[in-house]
Amino acid sequence: SQTIHQWPATLVQPVGSPLSLECTVEGTSNPNLYWYRQAAGRGLQLLFYSVGIGQISSEVPQNLSASRPQDRQFILSSKKLLLSDSGFYLCAWSVGDEQYFGPGTRLTVT
Amino acid sequence: GQQLNQSPQSMFIQEGEDVSMNCTSSSIFNTWLWYKQDPGEGPVLLIALYKAGELTSNGRLTAQFGITRKDSFLNISASIPSDVGIYFCAGSRGSNYKLTFGKGTLLTVNP
C-alpha cells in the first residue's frame, strides 16, 4: 500500500530564515506530487505540482520554491521566510484524479 | 479561475441527525471527490465519483455526481461525534492534473 510522509510535523522559524520541508511517498512509482498551503480558515491553496523528476509547475508567485530531486521526493523551500508564510503545508500524491494527502507540517513564522 | 461553491459553510447538529452538503460549479467536471479533514491532520479521501448520475455509498456516507456534471452532494446519515471536521468537495477536469477545491463545510456534532 502507498504511504506519504512529511517532516517536520511542526516548525517555528524567525522571519528571514530559510525553510525546507520534505515529502516522500512509498509504494507507488512516478506519482504526481503537490504542495498545498492551508491558512487558518480552511481553504486549500495549490502552490506547486510536479508530474515528474525535475518538472515543477508553480501556481502562485511568492518567495517559495519546490524541487523534485527523486521520483518520490518533493521538497518545498524558501530562502527567506515572511510572516505571511505561516500556515499548514500539505503534500499530496496522485496517479489519476484521486489525490492523497500527507499529515501536514504546521509552520509558524515569528 | 474555476470556482466550486460549497455550502453550507458550517453546520451545528445533534448526534443522530442526518447531514447534507453540496458543491456547485459553473464548469463541468469529469470527477468529483469528497474529503474529510480532522483538526491538525491532512484531508482523507472519502468518496470518488466518476460518472454523471453516479450514486456511491461508503458506510453512512452517500455522495452523488450530478447529472449536469456541475454539482455533487454528500449526505451523512445518523451523525456521530467523530464525524466532526471539515468536509471538502473537489472536482477534476481530468486533463491538467489539478483539483479545484471547495472552501469546506465545518461540521460540529453535539453529543
Side-chain angles (χ1 to χ4, degrees):
Chain A
S1 64
Q2 300 87 4
T3 56
I4 179 169
H5 304 279
Q6 286 187 246
W7 63 89
T10 60
L11 192 58
V12 180
Q13 292 283 94
V15 167
S17 64
L19 173 74
S20 181
L21 303 181
E22 189 165 344
C23 171
T24 59
V25 181
E26 297 175 355
T28 186
S29 296
N30 196 30
N32 298 325
L33 296 172
Y34 306 83
W35 279 112
Y36 290 86
R37 178 169 58 204
Q38 186 176 33
R42 325 196 296 236
L44 293 168
Q45 180 187 33
L46 179 63
L47 302 175
F48 301 94
Y49 68 96
S50 170
V51 300
I53 295 174
Q55 299 179 59
I56 308 294
S57 296
S58 174
E59 289 293 297
V60 182
Q62 56 207 331
N63 69 320
L64 298 173
S65 62
S67 62
R68 184 171 177 174
Q70 300 180 46
D71 181 44
R72 289 169 288 178
Q73 184 185 28
F74 206 22
I75 297 172
L76 183 69
S77 303
S78 174
K79 292 182 179 177
K80 288 187 178 182
L81 283 168
L82 307 173
L83 284 174
S84 58
D85 291 324
S86 293
F88 192 47
Y89 287 82
L90 290 159
C91 181
W93 71 273
S94 74
V95 179
D97 289 335
E98 299 175 16
Q99 289 187 17
Y100 298 91
F101 288 84
T105 295
R106 174 75 59 192
L107 172 66
T108 303
V109 182
T110 60
Chain B
Q2 300 171 47
Q3 295 279 334
L4 284 185
N5 300 308
Q6 186 171 350
S7 65
Q9 288 188 338
S10 60
M11 303 182 73
F12 298 85
I13 62 170
Q14 293 296 124
E15 183 176 358
E17 290 183 356
D18 297 343
V19 171
S20 184
M21 59 192 78
N22 69 84
C23 272
T24 60
S25 172
S26 58
S27 303
I28 288 174
F29 287 97
N30 295 327
T31 302
W32 283 92
L33 305 166
W34 285 92
Y35 290 86
K36 182 197 176 196
Q37 184 177 27
D38 290 331
E41 299 182 12
V44 173
L45 180 63
L46 299 174
I47 291 179
L49 302 158
Y50 291 98
K51 195 174 175 181
E54 178 182 358
L55 184 71
T56 297
S57 293
N58 178 4
R60 294 179 295 106
L61 308 177
T62 302
Q64 185 159 29
F65 191 145
I67 287 290
T68 65
R69 296 165 64 193
K70 293 182 180 181
D71 63 327
S72 178
F73 72 75
L74 175 71
N75 288 341
I76 305 173
S77 63
S79 59
I80 59 179
S82 61
D83 290 333
V84 165
I86 303 175
Y87 291 79
F88 291 100
C89 63
S92 170
R93 301 187 76 179
S95 60
N96 62 358
Y97 312 106
K98 296 186 289 187
L99 296 178
T100 300
F101 281 87
K103 293 188 176 181
T105 295
L106 175 61
L107 178 64
T108 302
V109 179
N110 296 315

